[in-house]
Amino acid sequence: MLSVLGVLGGAGGFATIAAVVVKRGKFRAEAAGVITDTALTLVQPMRIRMAELEAEAQTIREQLRASNERSRRLQASIAHLRTTLDSWYALIFAPDASLQSIRHAVREDRRRTQTSGEVRAEPTGDR
């Protein structure tokens, strides 16, 4: 034990132990720095991609809202046209139907539709 203390007791022995302890902390700090830098290099592209995906998702949500609104309007138009068609069918097959009364009813329906703007032709986008 005395010989170990004698060897370590010299200025060089304590200096060596102190250097190892200090460098060990420095190595840990450098390793943490390298790991942090690597993580940031990997995370940054993912952040950019995430922002792109969020913007794309927002655009798709807006398109979906517009499509749902258009679908709702088209369904209302179809319901109105179906009602009109049913009323014309009833006029045609009525026992007292005449060509003049049918023409008059159709003309009135068209006039009412044009003035109220109930049914509008919508572009389908199939061009």
Side-chain angles (χ1 to χ4, degrees):
M1 177 94 160
L2 288 175
S3 20
V4 172
L5 282 176
V7 170
L8 293 176
F14 282 121
T16 303
I17 292 174
V20 168
V21 170
V22 169
K23 285 185 180 181
R24 187 172 142 201
K26 183 179 176 184
F27 289 142
R28 282 187 180 168
E30 287 177 2
V34 168
I35 290 172
T36 302
D37 290 344
T38 304
L40 288 176
T41 7
L42 294 174
V43 168
Q44 188 59 27
M46 287 194 294
R47 283 184 180 166
I48 292 170
R49 183 64 180 143
M50 184 65 104
E52 291 170 351
L53 290 173
E54 287 173 354
E56 188 176 330
Q58 182 61 33
T59 300
I60 290 171
R61 281 187 208 103
E62 290 169 5
Q63 290 173 348
L64 180 61
R65 273 192 288 276
S67 293
N68 286 341
E69 177 61 24
R70 183 169 183 253
S71 175
R72 187 195 60 72
R73 285 193 320 265
L74 288 172
Q75 287 174 350
S77 295
I78 289 169
H80 174 74
L81 290 171
R82 178 64 193 221
T83 302
T84 302
L85 184 61
D86 288 344
S87 70
W88 290 356
Y89 182 84
L91 282 173
I92 291 169
F93 288 100
D96 60 343
S98 70
L99 187 56
Q100 186 177 3
S101 67
I102 294 170
R103 284 183 177 162
H104 176 71
V106 169
R107 207 174 302 120
E108 282 300 308
D109 282 345
R110 285 190 175 175
R111 184 191 59 74
R112 187 174 39 248
T113 299
Q114 289 173 351
T115 58
S116 69
E118 291 174 3
V119 179
R120 292 180 296 271
E122 294 198 18
T124 61
D126 299 333
R127 293 183 184 180

